[in-house]
Amino acid sequence: MVDQYKKSGYNKYDLRLVDTNLIFMNLNGEYKGIKKILKKESRMYKWFQRFRWIFMTASFLFFVFGLQIFGRWIHNIDLPVFACPANSDQIVHCACFYLSHLDKLFLRSSVIELAVYFSTLFLFIVIFGRTFCGFICPMGYMQDIAYKIKEILHIDGISRKEKLMEVLKVAKYLIVLVFLGMTFFGFNFCRICPAVITSPMFAGFNHAITVGYLLAILMFVLSFFMRRFWCNICPLGYLVGIFHKISFFKIKKDCQACTSCGACYEACPMRIKSIYTEKSKKDVTTSECIFCGECVKSCPENNALAISFCNKKFYISSREDFMRLKRERKKKRG
Amino acid sequence: MKSPSIDQCLEERQKERFLNKSRQLAVKYLNKLEELPGTPNNFTYFRKILKKAFIENDTFIRSTNEKIIGTYCVMVPQEIIYAAGARPVQLCSGNYAGVHFGDDIVPRDSCPLVKAVVGNNMVSGSSIYDDCSMYIVPITCDCKKKMAGILKDYKETLELHVPINKLDDTGMDYYVKELYIMMEKIGRITGKKVTRIDLEHQIDEMAVVQDEIYRFIQLKGNRNLLIRGSHAMAVMNSFSYDDKTCWAANLKLLNNELEVKLKQKNYITKKKLPRILITGSPIAFPNLKIPLLIEEMGGVVVADETCMGDRGLYDPVAVCDTSMDGLMRALANRYVLPCSCPIFTENRQRIERIKQMVHDYQVDGVIYHVLRGCLVYDFEYQEMEKVLGELGISMIRVESDYNEEDVEQIKIRMEAFVEMIKFR
């Protein structure tokens, strides 16, 4: 049988020519050309991740050199990201400074300044939530770069286990306490903060925080083996995440369409298990979710996972996209 | 476990009778498949593979000198076997003749599939069993567990420990470790060390096959009938008996044929027949009794949720991390987590899966197939009936064995079921 097919040139038959676009069933079981139905979503599968990288790179550059280009006019806005304010060239201010200096915030600021600080911060948290972590935070960007290097080198990472995650969770709560409370004991979080690796270092601000640099190097190495290691214990991210229930960005799941294949759990840099185990709720956003979109990207089921903004799903998982992505990756490898 | 007296008693004549019987059975069911109206032209290839493996008793491996590894469940990652330079063959048997022999050493109440497998091993002569260099038996249900013990007497058998609860990460970690051991053992047989690139390449090749399978499943579940479920089941069953690239190329031809039919609106039947979904115990090749009976009685099988059918090949591997460990984890996840086999303690996902299938393929009725002695499936019947009852989908439980004696009885029930749906 094999010989017969080899003779007829079967093995040369290029299977990549299989055009799965031709056929697609919509939910009514009616055959339609897929191109019309899925036009909007099919672009998203490519662009969501690209957009994320472009956005992160751009915001990184803004954080490092922004002030020199755009001036000081939005300098007083506080964003909930880890861009160290020790770099005074940043285009916007970073909320972490006052959160770790609560005594300064309450003693020295006027009421109007306080109101502006908290209201803008709250507004950002409600509208964007932890998308800041996935799209803007320079600390996250550094870690993503570290992980990208690992991916290119194909080195075995540390697969995150449940026990390790429990330890990290406890560590996170401790760090939150240190982050908020140390300032009242004559010490502050900035002295040990690993975020010095982000903008001050690149902008040429040299300040002598040795512990911070050591921790920063440690974080970089750890995030090489474990994707987004710092984000798992990030105190600022946790404080933003608390408000996930009223945030506009959500991860939605269709529990019926889900086959529980665990791809989302494996792909998730924050190792959120409930996204995979949930079997009844529609909203599977947790305080850890950073909206990196990896779960939707790796989900092979139509409509099973989606990222939504104000209940409007804009990045939806589908088998077509999953397979297209796989084919593209294969083509890239050659 | 093995009693040597049986081996001694087994004369040449007995062996011949066994082979004749199994051949007759395969011929009978292949003829039945052929006689069904609306057989696609490109079905011939799949018929030929099954004919070669079950009637001519000649595996494709004999000509290529490759090692073959027998697998006894869909929870064995085939990519690893391919990457190690061997070929997997699905050995879960539907052979009625095997049951007769297996009955001697397997207890009466165990499932006929295990009896048939043991019987096929006791009587040497069927090539797909004889050519294997090693067996891999995932420890799933009780019968399979004891079967692994018995098979050790006949061939080198590797037990693959499958986690009892999928939600438990420790169990999955252990399974990944088992896969490394499996890879090493197969490597020892073929003399090849599996590299990361091999594995990645095989995952890619399998993805191409799965593209076609997904397309096939979608076409099969089309609103108007394009291919009969029995044919589809035979196609799925033939997967492991030929080179996978060749198989996929032929499935592509079949898909293209069906697609042309779809565009020309050349459906098998214009009538609206009851659309039926089969779920439950495995339906392995010669035992295509249930789907064939449904189709004889005027129903159409539009989807199936059985491991030898769509379930085993439906889910793709989702690679998130391209390191060796990442690939192994992705494979472990794909072969265990989405599998809705009831051997897992918590199996809510099977019900959700069936609800989704009922919705996607507009199913009118569900047939819950239980092989006699297949307890795990029986356990889940109650809840399934309750959930489907709420949806207004009728379901019957059909118990069958590996013989022809229950055909008439099943026929009557099936007819009543199909008629009931028609008049609703």
Side-chain angles (χ1 to χ4, degrees), chain A residues 5 10 18 25 28 30 150 154 156 259-260 265-266 273 276 301-302 319 323 326-327 333, chain B residues 45 167 169 196 200 204 211-212 214 218 223 249 253 314 317 321-322 325 329 333 349 362:
Chain A
Y5 278 102
Y10 230 108
V18 173
M25 292 249 303
N28 298 323
E30 196 99 56
K150 185 217 142 209
H154 303 295
D156 283 0
T259 57
S260 303
Y265 181 41
E266 193 65 34
K273 200 173 184 178
Y276 145 65
E301 289 307 310
N302 290 329
R319 179 63 83 98
M323 293 194 298
K326 225 171 183 182
R327 277 198 290 273
R333 271 202 300 275
Chain B
Y45 165 78
L167 304 181
D169 278 17
R196 191 190 64 78
E200 205 170 19
D204 281 348
D211 274 13
E212 282 307 320
Y214 183 69
Q218 299 293 340
R223 179 180 274 173
L253 291 180
Y314 173 78
V317 183
D321 175 5
T322 48
D325 196 45
R329 291 190 70 81
N333 280 346
Q349 72 186 74
Q362 293 125 43

Side-chain angles (χ1 to χ4, degrees), chain B residues 209-217 236 247 251 313-314:
Chain B
V209 179
Q210 258 152 1
D211 274 13
E212 282 307 320
I213 288 169
Y214 183 69
R215 206 169 139 220
F216 180 65
I217 291 173
M236 286 299 180
W247 188 85
L251 186 60
L313 295 163
Y314 173 78

Side-chain angles (χ1 to χ4, degrees), chain A residues 108-150:
Chain A
R108 292 181 193 169
S109 308
S110 66
V111 180
I112 297 165
E113 269 179 331
L114 262 180
V116 169
Y117 175 79
F118 279 113
S119 57
T120 51
L121 194 59
F122 188 70
L123 201 70
F124 278 128
I125 288 173
V126 168
I127 296 175
F128 298 107
R130 281 196 87 167
T131 38
F132 277 113
C133 304
F135 282 77
I136 294 170
C137 183
M139 189 68 187
Y141 183 58
M142 302 313 290
Q143 294 176 72
D144 271 358
I145 288 174
Y147 192 77
K148 201 87 191 167
I149 297 168
K150 185 217 142 209

Side-chain angles (χ1 to χ4, degrees), chain B residues 150-312:
Chain B
I150 295 171
L151 290 183
K152 272 194 178 143
D153 295 342
Y154 299 98
K155 218 150 253 180
E156 188 191 347
T157 305
L158 179 71
E159 300 150 7
L160 201 63
H161 292 260
V162 174
I164 295 164
N165 187 348
K166 281 183 275 192
L167 304 181
D168 176 21
D169 278 17
T170 347
M172 281 310 289
D173 289 337
Y174 190 68
Y175 182 69
V176 174
K177 269 182 208 157
E178 290 270 305
L179 290 188
Y180 275 106
I181 295 169
M182 179 187 126
M183 189 166 81
E184 199 199 309
K185 283 214 168 152
I186 302 168
R188 224 178 281 157
I189 286 169
T190 56
K192 190 185 167 196
K193 202 176 178 308
V194 182
T195 61
R196 191 190 64 78
I197 294 161
D198 286 336
L199 208 55
E200 205 170 19
H201 178 68
Q202 290 303 332
I203 289 173
D204 281 348
E205 290 216 327
M206 208 60 167
V208 174
V209 179
Q210 258 152 1
D211 274 13
E212 282 307 320
I213 288 169
Y214 183 69
R215 206 169 139 220
F216 180 65
I217 291 173
Q218 299 293 340
L219 281 164
K220 185 179 77 171
N222 189 50
R223 179 180 274 173
N224 292 301
L225 196 62
L226 293 166
I227 182 168
R228 285 183 186 272
S230 314
H231 290 138
M233 226 159 215
V235 168
M236 286 299 180
N237 263 297
S238 70
F239 172 66
S240 72
Y241 304 116
D242 197 8
D243 179 50
K244 66 177 185 306
T245 322
C246 191
W247 188 85
N250 278 286
L251 186 60
K252 187 184 177 219
L253 291 180
L254 180 60
N255 280 343
N256 289 346
E257 184 191 335
L258 297 182
E259 211 166 86
V260 169
K261 272 187 180 176
L262 185 69
K263 274 173 194 162
Q264 294 170 347
K265 300 201 170 168
N266 179 13
Y267 306 127
I268 288 179
T269 166
K270 292 241 159 59
K271 276 186 273 177
K272 194 171 173 354
L273 298 174
R275 298 165 68 82
I276 285 164
L277 179 144
I278 300 180
T279 179
S281 304
I283 295 175
F285 166 63
N287 180 32
L288 291 175
K289 192 159 63 180
I290 303 287
L292 278 168
L293 274 179
I294 296 171
E295 260 148 21
E296 271 173 35
M297 291 298 114
V300 288
V301 181
V302 286
D304 66 287
E305 201 270 335
T306 59
C307 53
M308 300 287 280
D310 297 353
R311 187 205 291 159

Side-chain angles (χ1 to χ4, degrees), chain B residues 24-36 47:
Chain B
Q24 276 165 11
L25 188 77
V27 168
K28 188 180 162 192
Y29 277 98
L30 278 180
N31 284 345
K32 271 191 178 178
L33 281 175
E34 198 71 351
E35 281 162 14
L36 272 181
R47 214 176 64 96

Side-chain angles (χ1 to χ4, degrees), chain A residues 256-273:
Chain A
Q256 197 178 301
C258 172
T259 57
S260 303
C261 69
C264 46
Y265 181 41
E266 193 65 34
C268 181
M270 305 299 283
R271 219 69 181 121
I272 301 167
K273 200 173 184 178

